[in-house]
Amino acid sequence: MQRILLDTDPGVDDAQAILMATAHAGSQVEAIFTVGGNVGIEHTTRNALTIVEAIGQDIPVFAGCESALVFEGEDAAWVHGNDGLGDANLVPQSRQVETEFAPTALLRMVTAEPDAFTLVAIGPLTNIALALRMDPTLPSKIKRFVVMGGAVTARGNTSNVAAEFNIFADPEAAHVVFEAWGKAGKLIELVDWEATVRYGIPFEKVAEWRALGTKRSTFFDTVSNRSFDRPSLTEGRTKMFAADPLALAVVIEPDCVTHAEDRFVMVETGGTYSRGQTVVDWDSRLKQEPNARIILKVKAERFFQLFEDGLK
Ligand code: RIB
Ligand code: CA
């Protein structure tokens, strides 16, 4: 059984990813850590509680950092709705957030059971960076670390065209994280925005899933439907881009990856147009040990099946 600790900023695609992970027979989500990102921490935390309640699993939710380490980033309410879950105005009926701060809870769990957990980050890396500053040995305590973030050839999705949202939301945090994993001689399994676009899900398939009629698919439809009717997200597109679900497919079924390359990745924190860029040393010119395993190819049909399995 793969034991997952999930750091997230729900977020419509975060919700979709949580549905996938919690339906997978070989995986167990043992804690959710929320971070500000797509929307503010109050909403991402409330949304995490709502999602956990909707799936009926007893997963503790710990609230983490409200804002980036140094500079406030832009949010993504234009994608996810002002409440972060499609403006469906869902609220948890009874579940309460834990009192322990997320970075503290993360360190407590991985220190008590080193090399037991897969850490997954599908939002800005602020909580992970803070945990690293509290305990620099964090990488040695983590079995696998999978990150949804970056744009490995600078085709991002933010106002800084080279930057992807999770990295651009807190570049300083991302720098701390990539640097620490490199110094520890460990690899971040990196699922970037460009892979997300390559493995977009055909709208026809999404329409089938919305109509499955199960409790989970109805929740998926409710929180996602605002995304489906937004011209800014659909015009000229034939596919739904599902960044966090792609990352969770890599987490719950590593065999779905058919090609990955280990490279040294740096995060740009300066630059008018490049702040938040994940700069990849593709030709190993710096002679630095790799700190990232860049996921380049996956079995698309397997990814789609894992997504669908999360809705049944
Ligand atoms: O760039 C995509 C990422 O930004 C996803 O994690 C999405 O939820 C947003 O946080
Ligand atoms: Ca996210």
Side-chain angles (χ1 to χ4, degrees):
M1 180 66 78
Q2 180 168 207
R3 303 173 66 187
I4 296 169
L5 303 179
L6 181 67
D7 194 80
T8 176
D9 62 335
V12 170
D13 64 324
D14 303 68
Q16 296 163 0
I18 294 169
L19 288 169
M20 284 172 68
T22 54
H24 189 256
S27 303
Q28 171 67 40
V29 177
E30 297 202 8
I32 289 177
F33 308 123
T34 60
V35 64
N38 283 321
V39 288
I41 191 76
E42 298 77 18
H43 278 125
T44 59
T45 303
R46 187 185 79 174
N47 294 341
L49 294 167
T50 299
I51 296 162
V52 165
E53 226 169 54
I55 61 179
Q57 292 189 12
D58 186 18
I59 305 171
V61 173
F62 300 85
C65 296
E66 178 172 355
S67 57
L69 291 185
V70 181
F71 303 107
E72 281 291 339
E74 62 189 34
D75 73 14
W78 67 279
V79 173
H80 300 271
N82 292 321
D83 71 358
L85 277 189
D87 285 336
N89 297 314
L90 301 176
V91 292
Q93 298 308 304
S94 60
R95 286 200 69 91
Q96 300 291 321
V97 66
E98 305 297 318
T99 55
E100 191 176 12
F101 184 44
T104 307
L106 166 59
L107 290 177
R108 171 177 56 78
M109 296 176 84
V110 300
T111 302
E113 295 184 85
D115 205 34
F117 295 102
T118 293
L119 178 60
V120 183
I122 53 175
L125 292 169
T126 318
N127 286 340
I128 315 299
L130 213 51
L132 277 162
R133 288 304 190 233
M134 294 156 73
D135 176 0
T137 71
L138 175 63
S140 67
K141 297 174 178 175
I142 301 293
K143 190 170 195 171
R144 285 180 74 196
F145 183 30
V146 181
V147 168
M148 190 283 133
V152 295
T153 65
R155 297 190 67 169
N157 61 1
T158 68
S159 54
N160 265 20
V161 296
E164 175 278 332
F165 179 84
N166 286 339
I167 307 300
F168 188 46
D170 196 342
E172 283 73 17
H175 165 73
V176 167
V177 171
F178 277 80
E179 183 183 61
W181 250 258
K183 284 182 175 172
K186 299 198 76 172
L187 293 172
I188 296 169
E189 295 172 57
L190 186 62
V191 179
D192 81 322
W193 178 251
E194 296 167 23
T196 300
V197 173
R198 277 197 302 278
Y199 295 99
I201 305 170
F203 282 140
E204 302 76 30
K205 194 173 281 288
V206 176
E208 288 168 21
W209 294 344
R210 291 175 69 181
L212 282 174
T214 63
K215 185 169 183 283
R216 281 170 165 255
S217 68
T218 304
F219 180 78
F220 161 67
D221 182 49
T222 302
V223 302
S224 311
N225 62 18
R226 176 190 162 97
S227 309
F228 298 134
D229 63 20
R230 296 172 64 78
S232 55
L233 296 176
T234 56
E235 232 155 43
R237 287 186 185 177
T238 59
K239 298 180 177 181
M240 177 177 84
F241 297 151
D244 296 341
L246 182 61
L248 266 295
V250 171
V251 170
I252 62 181
E253 195 157 293
D255 289 350
C256 78
V257 176
T258 55
H259 183 59
E261 295 185 12
D262 296 354
R263 289 294 189 280
F264 180 63
V265 178
M266 300 155 276
V267 177
E268 178 60 77
T269 56
T272 305
Y273 303 108
S274 55
R275 175 171 165 77
Q277 181 175 353
T278 43
V279 181
V280 180
D281 185 6
W282 286 108
D283 299 322
S284 305
R285 301 173 66 85
L286 301 177
K287 305 293 183 234
Q288 293 276 352
E289 283 303 307
N291 56 356
R293 174 155 295 163
I294 299 170
I295 306 303
L296 292 166
K297 289 184 182 172
V298 304
K299 297 171 189 168
E301 286 310 315
R302 193 66 201 127
F303 164 42
F304 299 162
Q305 189 58 56
L306 290 168
F307 193 120
E308 181 177 325
D309 291 348
L311 304 178
K312 290 178 178 166

